[in-house]
């Protein structure tokens, strides 16, 4: 009874104490939970507990005892006691000696000072320890103590916990302090809160993987990330998707199929509410496909596996084939895809000898056969591998089961297991598929396992390592086009190899592009062959060079040239083709083409194509010879591609009647093929000739480029075909008549204009311009330039520009540009016809009281563009320039107005010339008060103008002017007295009268005879010559200048004196003519015989002589009576005299004397 008493006393004494008051009843610490400790309420000491002392303890200080058990297999634990002067002692158990002592902040806990105790250590799951907290100075606190456990694996995505197949891992989220958000990772749109534990699982092979996180309570979630931890969430799960009984509905489970060995799945576990107190058991189970007959590998091609991963034997699955081994077995199933194939099974290994067992199902008595040998004698893995194989002929959709095992139960090492359905034809070059014209073959590369190189063929391009189908076609015609394609299906790309037979060196083509431009092919392969010999087989090998297993359809069609759009006959420039539609089979409708004119009714058609060769050309297509044909033109051989149609002679081709078809095309792109279909109306099949002619305006003189005023034409002589000489034109200058040239035609707007033509390239070439009245040898060369005659700022000194004047309005002329030396550069040709008034220096002459109506919107230049400044507004608007010369008397006034329809707002500028500082006056209002002008229309009055001195004025519009047509008017108003000129009458006469002398009775003089002229005055005022002084009519006057004064009086009695001069000049040089005499001695060489004496006939060619005098005087040669004369025979060894007298019209003369001898020495 006493013992019982003490037992109950002990129980009461111990369990009545607060947890932590003694070692055998320590305070159970929880991860991250802080405990506040006041030692004044604790009575136990280290001595009273019978424990060994550590550190500075006397053993009698009050102690708080705590205990912690680690949660995670591999973690870091930190214990701290902050407050007062804390000390920590560690005991494995209450009976063990002190393990360690800590009296400072060795773990660097931020909440503790340096003298307060903390420490860290690594532990494994399940380890526990006891710690005591005391104050060596005898203090009682208060203290704050805590234990923090952080897992060393699984706290981040980059350092996940590697979980294994079949493992169950208890997860305490409190040991995983990081959240998904704190790691900067995607939250799967679930916004998870709280701690996250990261796991990695690596798959074993093709299998079904189940992962779950179950527990007593709590809502678990999975977040799946990429294997590279890129932060992108791939999948979020938060429910018991697999319906595992150990999981609540809100606890997560998932099952999925893995297709690869060694694939890493990264996932994070979180609690839905963010709680860290729940415990979840994370479990992974992977079941490999093929582990059981009911869970087989659905084999599509081949697999390499290790039998040691497949724990079940055939007998464990209830299967028996007589000699069933007990070793590991992998189970497979296959369902056939076609009835036109044979199914091949094989397995091989270089470690053990594999066997194949074939079943009809997964049950007893389903064994069909056992295969231990390589029955179809191939070595898919190599000659050093043990192989079992068999060929089966099965119907489509037949499912077979088979197992692969080691012959003697071996299971160590890799084994390859393969299934292949092979087409019965077309799988080899020796047994190809023969395709007919217009047929198609659906190709599934899985049924054609032979690579090109296995068949001993060259690749021709493409790839050696793709399953390939072998197809043969035998052409029916030698004048045909064979179009073939490998299109459609699932293949992203296709390849076509073309051979002449089965063997090396037979390849002659390969394509993986849509060379035949078949719309439905996209980027898949198509091509065509032309003019292949009839009856000679062509071998095609087709495959998927990229993905290797994509499906497609091989199609082939042979078309006789001209019978279809895709096999159209090519035409060349100027060539013709004779056509009869009888015997043709296709219409434009059967080719899928639109009827471009709505007039066909399904008639037979012939098809051509043409490739333009010239830029900016005109292409004439004609079908002459039959009345009822249509020409359709297409950009391609597809629907809705019409670009032209004709059923009459639209192009005016001479060979066609008005009702026969021709058409002109423009704007066709160089080197871009277009297509021509010609068919008969209502089935017409008559004979006709098809012809295409392509030409460029400017390529020849007969078809020149018709250039417009102010047009700029970029000219590249390399594209021109003909020279000036080839067109029968004469060379106006330069050296380039044989070089390429471009021909232009221009029609002048006005006969009074200046036409500026240039051919320039900013100084980089040496161009010529030739101007002709027309084409042909009879045409006249009108002008030529090989340098910058017009001083064009865009031209270099060797680049041609010129100015034409006097060209007749409305009469076209030809000009030609080429290179001075016959080269073919590029340059810019420009023509600018400057009409009177377009520029200041070529102003329009306007007369007194003349009205000129002008549309200012058509003018090319402005005041500012001409370098002029005058006035304040409108200087950038286009203007017309005029020149006016006052004709009356000096001191007159001139009124200028620029008026017109309502809405126009005009300006008038007056200049003394065309220079920058020549502005004289300006008006932008009706300053002269002309009644015909509205207020914003300009008029101006000029005073004291000088008679006979021209001035310039310009008219333009203000920027906001409405109307642009303006009437310009000029009137000169002279000063008058009684309606007569106040300054006197005008006298119309020559300023100088010239006379030349003749013989006047022994002297030289001239007889004076001049027109006295006439006087004029203001209209209505008469005038007369009242006196003349100076020389008069009939006077004989010697050389000199004689003034003549004429007095004129008008009706107002105003008298004026006018003057002119009479000048008498010598008609001949008074000193006689100027003579260049022969040399003093002239030697003539005898060149014949006179009898027996050498002699020579004297000739003017034996000497040189010239004479000159005034233009009004003649100069004559006379031989003296003593002189020899031309034609006379001269003999050797004699001396003769040549004496020449030169006389002018007035009898004045000079004399030349020379001595002539004859020599018998040869010249």
């Amino acid at each position: 009874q006493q013992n019982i008493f003490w037992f109950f006393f002990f129980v009461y004494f111990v369990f009545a104490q607060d947890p932590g008051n003694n070692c055998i009843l320590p305070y159970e610490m929880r991860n991250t939970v802080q405990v506040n400790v006041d030692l004044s309420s604790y009575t136990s000491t280290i001595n009273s507990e019978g424990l060994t002392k550590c550190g500075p303890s006397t053993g009698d200080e009050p102690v708080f005892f705590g205990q912690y058990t680690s949660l995670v297999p591999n973690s870091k634990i930190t214990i701290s006691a902050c407050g007062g002067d804390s000390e920590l002692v560690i005991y494995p158990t209450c009976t063990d000696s002190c393990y360690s002592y800590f009296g400072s902040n060795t773990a660097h806990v931020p909440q503790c000072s340096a003298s307060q105790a903390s420490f860290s250590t690594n532990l494994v799951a399940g380890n526990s320890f006891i710690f005591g907290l005391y104050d060596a100075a005898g203090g009682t606190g208060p203290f704050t103590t805590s234990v923090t456990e952080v897992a060393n694996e699984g706290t981040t995505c980059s350092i996940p916990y590697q979980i294994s197949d079949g493992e169950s891992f208890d997860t305490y989220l409190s040991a995983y302090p990081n959240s998904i958000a704190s790691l900067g990772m995607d939250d799967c749109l679930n916004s998870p809160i709280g701690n996250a534990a990261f796991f990695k699982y690596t798959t074993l092979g093709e299998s079904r993987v189940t992962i779950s996180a179950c527990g007593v309570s709590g809502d678990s979630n999975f977040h799946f990330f990429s294997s590279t931890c890129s932060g992108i969430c791939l999948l979020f799960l938060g429910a018991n998707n697999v319906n595992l009984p150990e999981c609540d509905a809100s606890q997560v489970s998932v099952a999925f199929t893995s297709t690869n060995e060694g694939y890493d799945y990264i996932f994070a576990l979180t609690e839905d509410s963010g709680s860290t107190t729940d415990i979840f058991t994370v479990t992974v189970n992977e079941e490999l496909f093929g582990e059981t007959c009911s869970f087989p590998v659905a084999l599509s091609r081949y697999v390499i596996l290790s039998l040691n991963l497949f724990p079940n034997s055939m007998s464990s699955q209830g299967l028996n084939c007589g000699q069933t081994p007990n070793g590991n077995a992998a189970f497979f199933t296959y369902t056939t895809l076609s009835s036109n194939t044979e199914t091949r099974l094989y397995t091989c290994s270089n470690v053990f000898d594999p066997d194949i067992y074939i079943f009809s199902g997964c049950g007893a008595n389903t064994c069909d056969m056992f295969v231990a040998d390589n029955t179809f004698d191939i070595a898919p893995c190599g000659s050093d591998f043990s192989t079992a194989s068999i060929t089966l002929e099965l119907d489509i959709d037949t499912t077979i089961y088979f197992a692969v095992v080691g012959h003697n139960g071996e299971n160590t090492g890799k084994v390859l297991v393969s299934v292949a359905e092979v087409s019965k034809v077309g799988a080899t070059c020796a047994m190809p598929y023969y395709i007919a014209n217009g047929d198609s073959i659906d190709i599934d590369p899985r049924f054609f396992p032979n690579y090109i190189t296995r068949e001993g063929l060259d690749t021709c391009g493409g790839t050696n390592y793709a399953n390939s189908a072998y197809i043969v076609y035998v052409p029916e015609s030698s004048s045909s086009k064979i179009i073939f394609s490998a299109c459609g299906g699932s293949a992203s790309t296709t390849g076509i190899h073309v051979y002449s037979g089965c063997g090396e060196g037979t390849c002659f083509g390969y394509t993986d592009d849509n060379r035949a431009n078949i719309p439905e092919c996209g980027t898949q392969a198509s091509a065509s062959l032309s003019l292949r010999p009839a009856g000679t087989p062509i071998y095609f090998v087709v495959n998927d060079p990229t993905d290797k297993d994509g499906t497609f359809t091989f199609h082939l069609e042979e078309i006789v040239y001209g019978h279809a759009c895709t096999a159209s006959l090519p035409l060349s420039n100027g060539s013709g083709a004779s056509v009869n539609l009888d015997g043709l089979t296709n219409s434009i409708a059967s080719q899928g083409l639109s009827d471009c004119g709505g007039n066909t009714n399904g008639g037979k058609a012939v098809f051509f194509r043409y490739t333009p060769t010239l830029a900016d050309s005109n292409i004439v297509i004609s079908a002459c010879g039959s009345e009822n044909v249509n020409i359709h033109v297409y950009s391609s051989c597809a629907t809705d591609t019409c670009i032209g149609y004709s059923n009459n002679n639209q192009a005016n081709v001479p060979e066609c009647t008005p009702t026969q078809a021709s058409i002109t095309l423009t704007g066709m792109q160089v080197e871009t093929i277009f297509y021509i279909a010609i068919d008969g109306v209502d089935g017409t099949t008559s004979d006709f000739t098809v012809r295409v002619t392509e030409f460029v305006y400017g390529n020849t003189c007969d078809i020149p480029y018709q250039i417009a005023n102010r047009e700029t034409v970029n000219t590249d002589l390399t594209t021109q075909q003909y020279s000036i000489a080839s067109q029968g034109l004469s060379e106006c200058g330069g050296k380039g008549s044989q070089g390429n040239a471009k021909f232009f035609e221009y029609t002048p707007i006005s006969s009074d204009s200046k036409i500026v033509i240039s051919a320039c390239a900013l100084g980089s070439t040496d161009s010529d311009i030739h101007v002709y009245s027309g084409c042909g040898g009879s045409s006249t060369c009108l002008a030529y330039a090989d340098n910058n005659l017009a001083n064009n700022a865009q031209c270099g000194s060797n680049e041609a520009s010129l100015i034409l004047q006097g060209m007749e309005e409305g009469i076209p002329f030809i000009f030609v540009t080429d290179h001075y030396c016959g080269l073919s550069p590029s340059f810019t040709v420009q023509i600018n016809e400057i009409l009177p008034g377009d520029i200041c220096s070529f102003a329009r002459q306007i007369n007194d009281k003349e009205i000129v109506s002008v549309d200012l919107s058509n003018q090319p230049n402005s005041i500012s563009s001409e370098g002029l400044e005058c006035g304040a507004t409108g200087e950038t608007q286009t203007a017309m320039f005029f020149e006016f010369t006052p004709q009356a008397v000096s001191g007159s006034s001139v009124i200028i107005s620029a008026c017109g329809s309502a809405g126009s707002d005009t300006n008038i500028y007056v200049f003394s010339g065309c220079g920058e500082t020549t502005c004289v006056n300006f008006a932008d209002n009706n300053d002269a008060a002309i009644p015909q002008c509205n207020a914003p229309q300009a008029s101006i009055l000029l005073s004291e103008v000088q008679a006979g001195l021209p001035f310039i004025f310009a008219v333009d519009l203000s920027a906001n002017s409405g109307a642009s047509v303006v009437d310009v008017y000029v009137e000169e108003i002279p000063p008058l007295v009684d309606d007569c000129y106040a300054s006197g009458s005008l006298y119309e006469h020559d300023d100088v009268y010239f006379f030349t002398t003749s013989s006047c009775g022994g002297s030289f003089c001239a007889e004076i005879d001049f027109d006295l002229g006439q006087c004029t005055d203001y209209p209505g005022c008469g005038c007369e010559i009242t006196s003349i002084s100076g020389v008069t009519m009939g006077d004989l006057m010697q050389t000199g200048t004689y003034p003549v004064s004429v007095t004129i009086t008008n009706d107002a009695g105003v008298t004026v004196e006018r003057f002119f001069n009479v000048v008498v000049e010598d008609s001949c040089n008074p000193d006689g003519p100027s003579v260049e005499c022969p040399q003093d001695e002239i030697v003539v060489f005898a060149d014949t015989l006179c009898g027996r004496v050498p002699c020579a006939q004297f000739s003017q060619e034996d000497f040189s002589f010239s004479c000159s005098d005034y233009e009004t005087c003649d100069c004559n040669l006379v031989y003296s009576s003593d002189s020899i004369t031309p034609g006379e025979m001269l003999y050797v060894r004699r001396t003769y005299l040549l004496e020449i007298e030169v006389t002018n019209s007035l009898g004045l003369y000079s004399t030349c004397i020379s001595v002539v001898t004859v020599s018998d020495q040869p010249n």
Side-chain angles (χ1 to χ4, degrees), residues 71 161 163-164 166-173 176 197 199 210-222 240 244-248 251-254 267 269-271 277-285:
L71 307 174
Y161 177 78
I163 194 168
S164 303
E167 181 180 356
S168 293
F169 182 81
D170 291 335
T171 307
Y172 298 80
L173 287 176
Y176 300 88
F199 295 85
T210 303
I211 307 176
S212 62
C214 308
V216 176
S217 62
D219 297 339
S220 57
N221 301 320
F222 280 154
N240 189 2
L244 296 178
E246 59 267 32
C247 281
D248 290 341
Q251 294 176 342
V252 66
S253 67
V254 62
F267 59 96
L269 167 66
T270 63
E271 205 283 331
T277 61
D278 298 302
I279 303 172
F280 299 104
T281 300
V282 177
T283 304
V284 177
N285 287 304

Side-chain angles (χ1 to χ4, degrees), residues 27-155:
Y27 188 94
E28 291 292 338
M29 302 292 291
R30 289 186 297 164
N31 189 20
T32 70
V33 177
Q34 294 183 346
V35 178
N36 295 319
V37 176
D38 184 350
L39 290 178
S40 63
S41 60
Y42 293 87
T43 59
S44 295
T45 66
I46 290 177
N47 288 334
S48 68
E49 292 296 301
L51 299 170
T52 60
K53 292 186 293 184
C54 286
S57 173
T58 64
D60 296 324
E61 300 91 350
V63 179
F64 168 81
F65 291 95
Q67 184 179 40
Y68 184 76
T69 303
S70 65
L71 307 174
V72 183
N74 180 9
S75 63
K76 179 180 180 181
I77 294 178
T78 301
I79 305 175
S80 63
C82 304
D85 186 8
S86 59
E87 318 286 340
L88 288 173
V89 288
I90 311 300
Y91 300 92
T93 67
C94 289
T95 59
D96 292 327
S97 298
C98 177
Y99 176 77
S100 186
Y101 157 78
F102 299 94
S104 62
N105 190 4
T106 60
H108 304 291
V109 174
Q111 295 83 3
C112 291
S113 66
S115 63
Q116 295 171 348
S118 71
F119 78 97
S120 296
T121 187
N122 287 325
L123 291 180
V124 296
N127 282 5
S128 64
F129 59 88
I130 293 173
F131 68 90
L133 164 62
Y134 69 92
D135 187 337
T140 60
F143 302 94
T144 300
T145 184
S146 65
V147 178
T148 302
E149 180 176 8
V150 177
N152 288 328
E153 295 176 325
T155 57

